[in-house]
Amino acid sequence: MKVFKNFTDYTSQKPLALSLGMFDGVHLGHKSIIDELIKIGSENNLETAILTFWPHPRFVFNPNEDLKLLNTLEEKKSLMNKYGIDNLFLKEFDEEFRNLTGEEFVRQVLIDKLNVKYLIIGYDHSFGKNKSGNFELLQKLSKELDFEVEQMEAINIHENNISSTKVRNALLAGNIKEANEMLGYSYSVSGSIVHGKKIGRTIGYPTANIETESIKLLPKKGAYIVEVFVKGQQYKGMLSVGTNPTVNGEKLTVEVYILDFEGDIYDEKITVKFRDFLHDEIKFEGLEKLIERLDEDKRLTEEFQF
C-alpha cells in the first residue's frame, strides 16, 4: 500500500476507485466499503484508494475538545494495508481545504488530481464546506465529469447500524464483546512499557505499565481479560485501566499482569487486545481484599477461551 500526505506526491498510473471519510476504527461498516472498492477495482482495472484526514477535522473545528480516537495513525494504516487497499491519502484538514465546497472538492481534487472513476460513500456521508457535498450532488456531477458513484447501505448488527460513535460508546461502557463484534477484530492498545510504582510486585502481581498515545481511546475504568503480545510472544493477561484507588493513586494508568511470564521488558513495545470485561474499578479496604480479587480475576482469565 502506498501512503500519500499530499496530492502533489501522487501521480496516477491507473484511474481510481475511491472512498472518503474518517474511517475511525475501520469497523465492519468501513470494511464493507473497502470490500466493494476492491471488487469494483478488480472488475474495472482500477486501483483502490481511501482518502481520509489526519489529524481528525474535529481537532481543527474544536481544538479544546478532548476527542479520543479508536485508531492511532499506525493502526489505521495497518488495517487499511491488511484489508488490501492500494493507496491511502492522509490529507491535512487545513484552512484551504476546509473552505472547498463539495462541488469544488469533486472537481479540483477527486477528478483533476486523483482521476477518480468510481466513488463509493457511506450511507450518511457528507463533505465540503457547510456539508455541501452529498450523494445527490455526486449523482448530478457524475454524468458531467464521467465517473460512477455508489452509496453503501448501513451495516447492521442485531438491528443496529454500526458506527464509530457506537463502537466508542460500547468501549466507554465496558461492553468489549459488543465493540469487538462491530469492529470485526479485538480492540487493542499499544505502547511502550514504562516504570510505575512497582506496588504489584510486592503482592505477587507485578504489572507492566503501558504508556499509550494521548489520542487513543481507553475503555472505561475497570479490569479486563486481554491477549498480550510482547517480544514476539503471545500471553494471557489481566489489565487494569484506572487510578489504583486502593493505594490512593491519582494518575490514570494502564497496567497489565501477564500470566506465565517472567523477565524484564521495560522500554519494550507491547500490544494488548481486549477480550472481555471483568469488573469496574474498585477501591478495596486493604491490600488483602485486593489480592483476593486479583486471585479471582486470574482464575477467570485462565479459564477464558481465546
Side-chain angles (χ1 to χ4, degrees), residues 246-303:
T246 304
V247 292
N248 300 314
E250 294 178 358
K251 182 184 174 187
L252 186 72
T253 60
V254 181
E255 302 178 46
V256 61
Y257 169 73
I258 308 171
L259 276 65
D260 303 315
F261 176 84
E262 289 183 8
D264 181 356
I265 48 175
Y266 286 116
D267 299 323
E268 292 284 347
K269 182 79 182 283
I270 188 171
T271 296
V272 293
K273 293 186 176 182
F274 289 81
R275 297 301 301 272
D276 207 357
F277 180 70
L278 285 166
H279 56 79
D280 288 319
E281 183 175 55
I282 303 168
K283 181 171 183 177
F284 295 96
E285 294 174 7
L287 290 180
E288 203 171 289
K289 294 289 186 185
L290 170 61
I291 293 167
E292 284 178 16
R293 185 69 225 209
L294 287 169
D295 289 344
E296 174 64 7
D297 289 350
K298 183 179 180 182
R299 183 187 66 79
L300 293 169
T301 302
E302 287 172 336
E303 291 176 356

Side-chain angles (χ1 to χ4, degrees), residues 153-214:
E153 293 296 314
I155 299 296
N156 295 301
I157 286 183
H158 310 312
E159 301 183 0
N160 284 315
N161 295 348
I162 297 174
S163 71
S164 300
T165 298
K166 287 178 181 173
V167 175
R168 199 175 283 116
N169 289 341
L171 291 167
L172 292 173
N175 296 330
I176 296 300
K177 289 183 175 179
E178 180 187 337
N180 289 348
E181 193 173 17
M182 289 189 281
L183 288 168
Y185 59 88
S186 295
Y187 189 70
S188 68
V189 169
S190 299
S192 296
I193 298 172
V194 297
H195 291 273
K197 292 184 176 179
K198 302 181 173 62
I199 294 170
R201 65 176 60 181
T202 68
I203 57 173
Y205 284 94
T207 59
N209 281 53
I210 306 172
E211 187 172 59
T212 63
E213 288 197 35
S214 59

